[in-house]
Amino acid sequence: MTLTPFFRVKDLRFRYDQSWVLDGLSFEVREGEILGIIGPNGSGKTTILRILSRVLMPQEGEVHLHGKNLLALSQKEIAQIIGVVPQDTYFPFPFTVGEVVLMGRSPWLSGFGFESERDLQIASQAMTLTNTLSFSNRLIFELSGGERQRAIIARALAQRSQVMLLDEPTAHLDIGYQIEIYDLIKKLNVEKRLTLIIVAHDLNLASEYCDRLILLDAGRIYKMGSPKEVITEENLSRVYQSKVLVEENPVTGAPRVTLLSKLMSKKYREKRLTARSNRIS
Ligand code: ADP
């Protein structure tokens, strides 16, 4: 992995109305890494992705992409570099999977905007990689959550972008599909050398699959670093205001988080105290 910054974000501040939603963020996204953004609801994760893809413009600070100010690039140039997998994708018409994936080619079309043989080839490769080719003729509405998510990733891949931004890619998916999507993300990172930025709500998946994590707290970076540096009991309990247990996953060595309700941890403490007093008496 090289250490060239892909994105460089400096002193970023953003607000939708009066109050700052992002309040002075500085970070880099390194080429070839999987960067996870974690933090409580409303801490500003999705807003960061919207700024990196220039859907929103910050009131203060700068975002550089490969050393160029993001504001200096056209929407078309940005779409050729950055692929986005949003949290909810709305389709106004009953498109087939193949049609949805071909939409990924639109930043590259010229003239009347008709797809060439090469565009069809690229879309087909994206579907092969995401295992969606077998249902390319089915309507996107008819798919299960996991199949649909793979089709949306295929669309972003057909874009042939260098970086992919994913917003909670496994929300609403069962554990089998969650692993499938994260394995696909890892495969794209390794085989296609894609840089990936993931807003992740599952701390354990983020810990397992991301090279680095940013832990956000109310629009500020609370901690940034490797999963081992970020996923600690102290950091998580402070930012999420919840009791957690962090241990080492015995299989992978990555930090593993167990949520503890206040009620359960009280019961556990009492049980330990009783066991101890039984031993003493
Ligand atoms: P997260 O992804 O961490 O849940 P968001 O980036 O979605 O957080 O939101 C951060 C804050 O910005 C929240 O307080 C949210 O209510 C507010 N917010 C998000 N989108 C809008 C919007 N379109 N208009 C006004 N406020 C918004």
Side-chain angles (χ1 to χ4, degrees), residues 153-164:
I153 293 176
R155 180 182 66 175
L157 261 184
Q159 221 171 305
R160 284 282 163 101
S161 55
Q162 298 158 31
V163 63
M164 199 181 283

Side-chain angles (χ1 to χ4, degrees), residues 47-202:
T47 305
I48 294 183
L49 291 196
R50 289 188 187 140
I51 288 173
L52 294 181
S53 54
R54 228 193 57 185
V55 172
L56 296 172
M57 296 200 202
Q59 284 87 2
E60 291 181 25
E62 286 173 4
V63 180
H64 283 94
L65 196 164
H66 281 321
K68 266 193 174 174
N69 194 320
L70 201 61
L71 299 182
L73 300 171
S74 70
Q75 278 301 349
K76 190 168 173 159
E77 283 173 309
I78 288 174
Q80 289 176 348
I81 302 172
I82 304 171
V84 180
V85 177
Q87 220 175 93
D88 293 303
T89 314
Y90 170 70
F91 294 100
F93 299 109
F95 294 112
T96 64
V97 171
E99 286 168 336
V100 167
V101 176
L102 259 183
M103 287 173 197
R105 295 304 301 151
S106 55
W108 299 94
L109 303 183
S110 52
F112 290 109
F114 295 122
E115 295 93 6
S116 65
E117 200 51 43
R118 169 132 181 85
D119 293 312
L120 295 173
Q121 241 175 39
I122 291 173
S124 165
Q125 282 164 7
M127 284 191 278
T128 304
L129 209 66
T130 51
N131 210 6
T132 51
L133 198 57
S134 59
F135 50 85
S136 65
N137 289 323
R138 283 178 59 197
L139 295 178
I140 192 91
F141 295 145
E142 292 173 353
L143 305 182
S144 71
E147 291 169 337
R148 189 180 153 96
Q149 194 61 298
R150 290 197 330 255
I152 308 290
I153 293 176
R155 180 182 66 175
L157 261 184
Q159 221 171 305
R160 284 282 163 101
S161 55
Q162 298 158 31
V163 63
M164 199 181 283
L165 314 184
L166 300 104
D167 195 355
E168 298 200 355
T170 57
H172 323 301
L173 299 184
D174 68 35
I175 52 171
Y177 279 132
Q178 288 180 26
I179 289 287
E180 191 180 277
I181 294 295
Y182 269 90
D183 279 349
L184 173 60
I185 286 169
K186 189 77 192 167
K187 181 166 136 182
L188 299 178
N189 175 248
V190 173
E191 290 180 14
K192 295 283 158 191
R193 303 181 59 79
L194 257 186
T195 302
L196 294 122
I197 306 172
I198 310 172
V199 165
H201 69 291
D202 188 302

Side-chain angles (χ1 to χ4, degrees), residues 16-17 21 39-48 50 167 199 216:
Y16 290 97
D17 36 50
V21 163
N41 291 341
S43 55
K45 304 181 295 294
T46 297
T47 305
I48 294 183
R50 289 188 187 140
D167 195 355
V199 165
L216 274 191

Side-chain angles (χ1 to χ4, degrees), residues 11-36:
D11 302 328
L12 182 74
R13 293 186 97 200
F14 177 84
R15 61 181 177 204
Y16 290 97
D17 36 50
Q18 269 89 355
S19 49
W20 293 106
V21 163
L22 300 177
D23 195 5
L25 305 189
S26 296
F27 62 92
E28 286 180 357
V29 182
R30 299 168 187 162
E31 200 155 339
E33 75 171 339
I34 304 182
L35 176 72

